[in-house]
Amino acid sequence: MSVLLIEAFYGGSHKQLMDLLQEELQEDCVLCTLPAKKWHWKARTAAVYFMQTVPTSTNYRILFASSVLNLAELVALRPDLGKLKKVLYFHENQLAYPVQKCQERDFQYGYNQILSCLVADVVVFNSAFNMESFLTSIGKFMKLIPDHRPKDLEKIIRPKCQVLYFPVRFPDVSRFMPEHKLAHLEKIIGVKRNGDAYQSEGLPGQQESRALGGLMKNSNVHFESGLCEAQPGLCTTQHEGLPSPLTALARLNKSEASESTNPCQEEDKQHLTFNLCNILSGRDYQQRPLHIAWPHRWEHDKDPETFFKVLLKLKEKELPFHVSVLGEAFTEIPDIFSEAKKALGSSVLHWGYLPSKDDYFQALCMADVVISTAKHEFFGVAMVEAVYCGCYPLCPKALVYPEIFPAEYLYSTPEQLFKRLQNFCKRPDTGETAGFSWAALGGKFRSLLAAEPREDL
């Protein structure tokens, strides 16, 4: 057990990553967690809890923790852990995390993350947006200190930083997909149905997710590495050093593709995309309402108000649609959810968290469009999962989304979102998610967790 995994908020994507690492490392790791409740208290006090509960061992070589933990406190309280190679993973950062207007940003949470970076050996972010929004905010954030401010902290921390996208374990969802999605998969890449499953020559195991292509980000580099070293002055939307997470389906089917780098933009190459308007046949599907999915946490930073306002405007104009609201709710649920459920009435197909992964992926497979209205997003696992299930993404032209999705899948205002949905009787096309799979990223995580401990402490 050479790897010590510590998660102070064991829920959502934090739990998903730790479970995946534990599954891969098996007996070579120890996992110590706290439940995903009362986040603020976990961020403040988890170090003392883990001081008492993390078992002592001379076999540890690596400490891997999310940035919820105050790593500086833990290694001070447990000097034996300070000698390990310490890897800090940022799912989100508190310097760029939005707060409600009625609240002031608590200085301590961001300060804790800066301290953790200073004691860590490697600092890993799940996107370039996450990394840059954190690093470039350090100077301004430290100016909140009234006097005797520390200097040049960004310069100290940046050399330790790198981007390693969140790895998603994509299941086989073919058994949940409606006929039109399966038929199109068979048409564009030649996958063959074998009962309820799909087989595709040259696409073994997890790499079958590459088959769901058609959406791509213009890039001269492949995403297979998933890794980027931090570079001073890095632009999060245009950077040569960071591979794009989205690659063209044409790269997987070179014999069918033209020389175009973006088959989505070529009318004569629409057989390479999930353009459902062109591929669907059958009266039932063409006449059924558009199915919209919103698979996000029921919290203010996901801006459910904007989402429901757009849907109610569609309903006012008597445009037919169905909606599945699939996110997880916590202690405090914004009032807009109960109000919207009542107002949307029969348009609601699914309402509420689906604890079964099969039920969750089945709901996504039945949807046409997945929408984000987030005010905060540093990666967006739910959007990637939905695209994997054949949904067309519509995301704000902000945050991490321009790093993940091409411009045609982004909107700037709620009015633009409304107009896109209004026109979606044409049926959407969908995106590519192979670069986010564990098959593509697992090697980098293994390397990250395989280095020797520091000998200079």
Side-chain angles (χ1 to χ4, degrees):
M1 52 180 185
S2 64
V3 180
L4 174 60
L5 304 174
I6 299 180
E7 180 50 68
F9 195 77
Y10 187 58
S13 61
H14 293 235
K15 180 179 185 298
Q16 192 171 335
L17 178 59
M18 288 298 184
D19 288 351
L20 194 156
L21 294 177
Q22 185 181 38
E23 180 182 344
E24 290 294 322
L25 295 168
Q26 297 182 0
E27 296 181 359
D28 196 36
C29 73
V30 173
L31 174 62
C32 300
T33 68
L34 279 168
K37 296 179 180 179
K38 300 191 180 298
W39 176 91
H40 300 85
W41 282 105
K42 299 299 190 297
R44 290 180 184 275
T45 65
V48 177
Y49 173 82
F50 288 123
M51 174 196 73
Q52 297 181 330
T53 57
V54 170
T56 301
S57 174
T58 58
N59 295 324
Y60 297 147
R61 295 293 180 268
I62 313 289
L63 191 165
F64 182 96
S66 80
S67 61
V68 175
L69 174 70
N70 187 327
L71 187 59
E73 289 183 347
L74 180 62
V75 299
L77 294 167
R78 285 285 300 270
D80 58 315
L81 302 181
K83 298 178 181 180
L84 309 179
K85 175 188 174 183
K86 298 172 289 298
V87 181
L88 188 68
Y89 192 87
F90 275 74
H91 294 266
E92 57 277 316
N93 78 77
Q94 293 302 310
L95 304 192
Y97 201 97
V99 295
Q100 298 185 60
K101 293 181 180 179
C102 61
Q103 297 176 341
E104 292 184 2
R105 186 180 302 279
D106 191 315
F107 180 83
Q108 193 64 42
Y109 301 126
Y111 184 65
N112 287 354
Q113 290 189 327
I114 293 172
L115 291 179
S116 293
C117 289
L118 290 171
V119 301
D121 300 301
V122 182
V123 183
V124 185
F125 293 83
N126 60 359
S127 69
F129 168 73
N130 192 1
M131 181 177 73
E132 287 300 313
S133 64
F134 178 78
L135 292 174
T136 58
S137 297
I138 291 175
K140 180 180 178 181
F141 182 79
M142 298 304 288
K143 288 181 180 179
L144 295 172
I145 301 174
D147 53 30
H148 296 86
R149 304 181 186 105
K151 297 180 180 179
D152 300 325
L153 295 184
E154 179 186 348
K155 292 181 180 179
I156 298 172
I157 295 171
R158 184 177 282 276
K160 305 178 181 184
C161 297
Q162 62 188 42
V163 171
L164 186 51
Y165 289 104
F166 187 95
V168 181
R169 177 81 79 183
F170 290 123
D172 176 12
V173 296
S174 59
R175 67 191 186 280
F176 301 137
M177 282 192 174
E179 182 65 25
H180 66 273
K181 290 185 180 180
L182 293 178
H184 190 54
L185 275 175
E186 190 169 351
K187 177 181 178 181
I188 64 173
I189 61 168
V191 290
K192 300 298 182 183
R193 272 178 265 193
N194 180 16
D196 292 332
Y198 259 75
Q199 294 180 340
S200 177
E201 184 176 353
L203 294 174
Q206 291 297 319
Q207 293 185 0
E208 288 187 7
S209 62
R210 295 172 182 265
L212 298 175
L215 176 154
M216 59 168 285
K217 182 87 170 176
N218 289 328
S219 174
N220 295 322
V221 277
H222 292 271
F223 177 69
E224 275 67 18
S225 69
L227 184 63
C228 171
E229 298 296 334
Q231 299 293 334
L234 181 70
C235 171
T236 60
T237 56
Q238 295 179 353
H239 38 76
E240 296 179 357
L242 182 65
S244 166
L246 300 169
T247 54
L249 177 65
R251 291 176 180 166
L252 303 174
N253 301 275
K254 293 180 180 179
S255 62
E256 295 183 24
S258 70
E259 295 180 357
S260 168
T261 59
N262 191 347
C264 301
Q265 296 178 351
E266 299 226 359
E267 292 182 2
D268 60 340
K269 296 297 177 183
Q270 289 188 0
H271 67 284
L272 292 180
T273 74
F274 274 86
N275 191 318
L276 303 187
C277 176
N278 295 330
I279 67 169
L280 297 183
S281 60
R283 184 173 301 175
D284 284 347
Y285 188 78
Q286 290 185 345
Q287 290 185 352
R288 75 170 179 83
L290 186 74
H291 186 172
I292 301 167
W294 194 82
H296 309 287
R297 283 184 287 105
W298 292 20
E299 293 185 313
H300 78 95
D301 60 296
K302 301 303 182 184
D303 196 7
E305 290 82 3
T306 292
F307 174 68
F308 290 125
K309 189 178 295 184
V310 169
L311 291 195
L312 292 174
K313 189 173 180 181
L314 291 174
K315 196 168 184 69
E316 287 175 7
K317 293 189 175 292
E318 299 183 348
L319 295 168
F321 67 90
H322 287 150
V323 62
S324 292
V325 179
L326 303 173
E328 188 171 3
F330 296 94
T331 306
E332 297 181 8
I333 301 175
D335 293 339
I336 186 64
F337 283 93
S338 58
E339 297 167 3
K341 184 180 181 181
K342 182 178 180 180
L344 290 169
S346 61
S347 296
V348 174
L349 282 186
H350 299 280
W351 193 269
Y353 178 63
L354 295 173
S356 164
K357 272 293 186 181
D358 279 356
D359 292 343
Y360 172 70
F361 280 114
Q362 184 172 15
L364 291 179
C365 284
M366 297 306 296
D368 302 311
V369 183
V370 61
I371 292 176
S372 171
T373 46
K375 296 177 181 177
H376 137 256
E377 194 62 80
F378 295 111
F379 181 73
V381 175
M383 292 297 290
V384 172
E385 289 175 335
V387 171
Y388 172 76
C389 292
C391 295
Y392 183 102
L394 285 175
C395 315
K397 192 176 182 179
L399 309 171
V400 72
Y401 295 119
E403 180 181 342
I404 303 292
F405 298 104
E408 59 264 38
Y409 302 95
L410 309 177
Y411 64 87
S412 298
T413 65
E415 183 61 28
Q416 287 183 3
L417 174 59
F418 168 76
K419 288 180 179 178
R420 295 291 297 275
L421 291 174
Q422 187 177 25
N423 294 330
F424 262 168
C425 61
K426 297 179 180 179
R427 297 294 182 227
D429 41 7
T430 194
E432 215 289 323
T433 56
F436 299 120
S437 69
W438 177 254
L441 298 174
K444 293 296 180 181
F445 275 92
R446 293 187 190 99
S447 297
L448 190 68
L449 300 176
E452 292 300 314
R454 293 179 60 184
E455 301 293 345
D456 59 336
L457 295 175

